[in-house]
Amino acid sequence: MITCIIVDDEPRNISILSKMIHLYCPQVHVAGSATNIADALGLIHEHSPQLLFLDIEMPRGNAFDLLKQIMPVNFEVIFVTAFDTYAVKAFRYNALDYLLKPVDIEELKQSIQKVSTRLGIQDINTRLDNLLQQVREKETSRIVLRTQQGAFFHTIADIILCEADGAYTRFEFVNGKSLLVTGNLKKYETALPARDFCRIHDTYLVNLNHIVRHHPGKSGYVEMINGRTVEISLRRKAEFLSRFRL
């Protein structure tokens, strides 16, 4: 029997997942549940679970804040999350299991099966360490953007897109602001992390994490989180689609 704890800030989500586990995963016992980090820490120390179902966003912190407090761990982790391009890529890269909300029964059963085969193999901390390192890089990485008014420091994850403007580049950010900086688009295509940014047009470099919709067509276009629509050039279409396996 695998002992597990469910951590999710929504009691309804906990109830649904508990019922699914009871009905379809009889080899798993739900020892408890928590809706915040503090209660989750208490349950982990009390029950010493073999498995943690962990929601990403929680009150006063997130899943990564919890893991930082208890590393090294001696249990497996299945992340439960709404769709997030960056997070899903990171989980896959580090061989960590995740479930997308709403949780699918077959995907739940497959994740449990994978966890069962991995229990006792002491590589979970290596995988979590790698994931947390990626999260730290995403949260803290900044770029210096130079304008005629001086140098500005911006968090890379907050950049929605970059737009070519001759010898200059216009940056748009999640806070709704924009900034015209010195240097052409090629300069910033090289400077920004390739795992997050994609040149989809001679004029545009977009942050893949801030795309909300892809519209197919001869070349197609994308909608960004701030409402901007950005055309995909025909010669760059295949590369863009490959990033999402579309």
Side-chain angles (χ1 to χ4, degrees):
M1 184 69 71
I2 300 172
T3 301
C4 81
I5 289 173
I6 302 173
V7 183
D8 194 305
D9 66 332
E10 292 289 340
R12 182 173 179 273
N13 291 339
I14 292 174
S15 176
I16 292 172
L17 184 54
S18 295
K19 289 177 181 176
M20 292 176 69
I21 291 171
H22 176 73
L23 290 173
Y24 303 105
C25 306
Q27 72 274 43
V28 179
H29 167 65
V30 180
S33 62
T35 57
N36 58 66
I37 290 176
D39 290 346
L41 289 171
L43 284 174
I44 291 168
H45 291 307
E46 178 183 354
H47 294 284
S48 299
Q50 296 166 287
L51 171 63
L52 195 66
F53 285 93
L54 188 54
D55 187 23
I56 300 296
E57 295 299 332
M58 291 177 286
R60 297 179 296 280
N62 59 33
F64 309 118
D65 296 321
L66 187 155
L67 289 171
K68 289 171 190 174
Q69 294 184 52
I70 57 176
M71 293 278 290
V73 303
N74 57 0
F75 51 77
E76 286 287 330
V77 178
I78 296 177
F79 292 92
V80 185
T81 178
F83 183 77
D84 178 271
T85 302
Y86 174 83
V88 167
K89 284 184 176 180
F91 298 154
R92 285 176 177 165
Y93 181 81
N94 292 295
L96 289 157
D97 282 297
Y98 64 92
L99 294 169
L100 298 179
K101 295 179 180 178
V103 175
D104 177 81
I105 294 170
E106 289 304 315
E107 290 178 357
L108 171 63
K109 290 162 71 173
Q110 289 171 14
S111 287
I112 294 296
Q113 182 58 43
K114 284 189 282 185
V115 165
S116 298
T117 61
R118 284 206 298 253
L119 283 175
I121 301 175
Q122 301 301 316
D123 69 340
I124 179 63
N125 288 289
T126 299
R127 288 180 275 133
L128 287 175
D129 274 335
N130 291 338
L131 175 65
L132 292 177
Q133 179 61 34
Q134 287 180 257
V135 170
R136 280 192 292 270
E137 289 174 359
K138 185 187 179 190
E139 290 175 342
T140 61
S141 289
R142 300 208 295 172
I143 188 171
V144 180
L145 300 177
R146 302 185 185 280
T147 74
Q148 295 178 344
Q149 289 73 43
F152 294 82
F153 297 81
H154 284 275
T155 301
I156 289 175
D158 291 341
I159 300 169
I160 295 176
L161 62 85
C162 308
E163 182 177 1
D165 190 353
Y168 296 87
T169 301
R170 184 173 301 280
F171 280 69
E172 294 187 8
F173 303 96
V174 294
N175 62 5
K177 295 182 179 181
S178 63
L179 188 68
L180 186 66
V181 305
T182 56
N184 61 28
L185 189 59
K186 180 64 177 177
K187 171 184 175 180
Y188 295 105
E189 181 183 7
T190 302
L192 292 167
R195 72 168 183 241
D196 293 322
F197 288 83
C198 182
R199 185 82 172 264
I200 65 171
H201 193 280
D202 287 349
T203 307
Y204 297 105
L205 175 69
V206 300
N207 188 334
L208 300 173
N209 303 306
H210 294 312
I211 294 174
V212 296
R213 185 178 180 185
H214 168 248
H215 294 259
K218 185 176 181 181
S219 57
Y221 65 95
V222 294
E223 285 183 45
M224 307 304 294
I225 196 171
N226 62 348
R228 283 288 303 272
T229 58
V230 183
E231 180 186 358
I232 304 167
S233 69
L234 273 174
R235 73 185 185 93
R236 297 183 184 272
K237 181 179 179 181
E239 179 189 354
F240 168 75
L241 295 179
S242 71
R243 301 290 289 272
F244 293 97
R245 297 181 180 177
L246 293 174

